[in-house]
Amino acid sequence: MTTASSGSAAGTGGSTDSTRGTDSTGGTSSTGGTSSRTGGIGSGADPRWLTPAEQDTWQAYVQGSTLLEDHLDRQLQRDAGMPHIYYALMVYLARAPRRRMRMTELARAAKITRSRLSHAIARLEKYGWVRREDCPSDKRGQNAYLTDEGNEVLARSAPEHVTAVRQAIFDRLTPEQVTQLGEIMWVIAKGLQPEGTGADLPWRR
């Protein structure tokens, strides 16, 4: 979510047997069982249940990404007094020309709904870190602006955050694994936001 973020060792090593049968992909039925084959999600055409190898990879991803987000959120709450999503929004604004972005573009960049963005920006406004402004080129639109105070908060928060990110991910991976992880996640991200399809994506809600 942030420009610096991602990674936890939670998905590496150990057995995933204890987690099978508990997730939305079909659980143990993905390896040939029958407990999820009647009714509910997936009824109708027989689903393509996950193979044992796919199930292990899925569980590694779920556990790793869940623990990672918790790790980064706790670090930012402790060291900067804000949740991870607030930090991410401020990073996007800091990188934008004149520290300004259209609200619609900010929602798209952060991959969140417009209502969630509006709530987050309202809180950041109360802190004095972000300000909303009318968009000169579109009377119906608004820009979000990172204030000088917000930029200073971001600069103070960044060193501890990048340390948390590095310790959680990059210190645990080889250079080859770092490249592979980036390639894999970009394939997934691009597949979930196809261009020109009118897909039901968060920033359109």
Side-chain angles (χ1 to χ4, degrees):
M1 192 170 288
T2 72
T3 59
S5 62
S6 296
S8 168
T12 61
S15 170
T16 58
D17 290 345
S18 63
T19 62
R20 289 181 183 162
T22 62
D23 75 281
S24 61
T25 62
T28 54
S29 61
S30 66
T31 63
T34 60
S35 59
S36 299
R37 290 180 179 270
T38 58
I41 297 175
S43 59
D46 196 30
R48 295 173 56 210
W49 301 112
L50 300 184
T51 66
E54 290 170 337
Q55 183 67 255
D56 286 346
T57 298
W58 170 243
Q59 289 298 329
Y61 169 78
V62 169
Q63 293 180 33
S65 59
T66 301
L67 287 168
L68 170 64
E69 185 60 28
D70 178 73
H71 173 73
L72 296 180
D73 203 65
R74 285 187 296 109
Q75 178 270 314
L76 283 165
Q77 291 279 15
R78 180 184 66 246
D79 297 335
M82 72 177 92
H84 192 199
I85 184 60
Y86 291 9
Y87 181 90
L89 293 172
M90 293 170 69
V91 168
Y92 287 121
L93 290 174
R95 289 184 158 190
R98 298 183 300 119
R99 304 202 306 253
R100 286 172 171 83
M101 287 183 72
R102 288 287 298 270
M103 289 284 285
T104 52
E105 290 304 311
L106 185 55
R108 181 187 180 97
K111 314 302 182 196
I112 59 176
T113 63
R114 287 175 288 183
S115 62
R116 186 181 181 192
L117 174 65
S118 181
H119 175 76
I121 293 297
R123 293 296 298 271
L124 289 169
E125 282 185 302
K126 289 183 179 179
Y127 300 154
W129 298 346
V130 170
R131 186 172 69 240
R132 272 181 280 200
E133 304 172 332
D134 291 334
C135 179
S137 60
D138 184 356
K139 293 182 179 180
R140 297 175 300 175
Q142 282 190 316
N143 291 331
Y145 165 67
L146 183 68
T147 65
D148 291 343
E149 183 180 353
N151 201 40
E152 291 172 3
V153 168
L154 190 62
R156 291 196 304 268
S157 304
E160 289 83 1
H161 184 60
V162 74
T163 296
V165 169
R166 182 166 294 284
Q167 291 175 346
I169 299 187
F170 299 107
D171 288 349
R172 304 174 189 268
L173 301 178
T174 66
E176 292 76 15
Q177 288 173 322
V178 170
T179 299
Q180 291 168 355
L181 178 62
E183 291 173 346
I184 290 167
M185 295 312 300
W186 277 121
V187 167
I188 294 172
K190 290 177 181 178
L192 290 172
Q193 49 183 349
E195 296 291 337
T197 63
D200 183 23
L201 296 167
W203 56 91
R204 292 177 180 161
R205 297 181 213 138

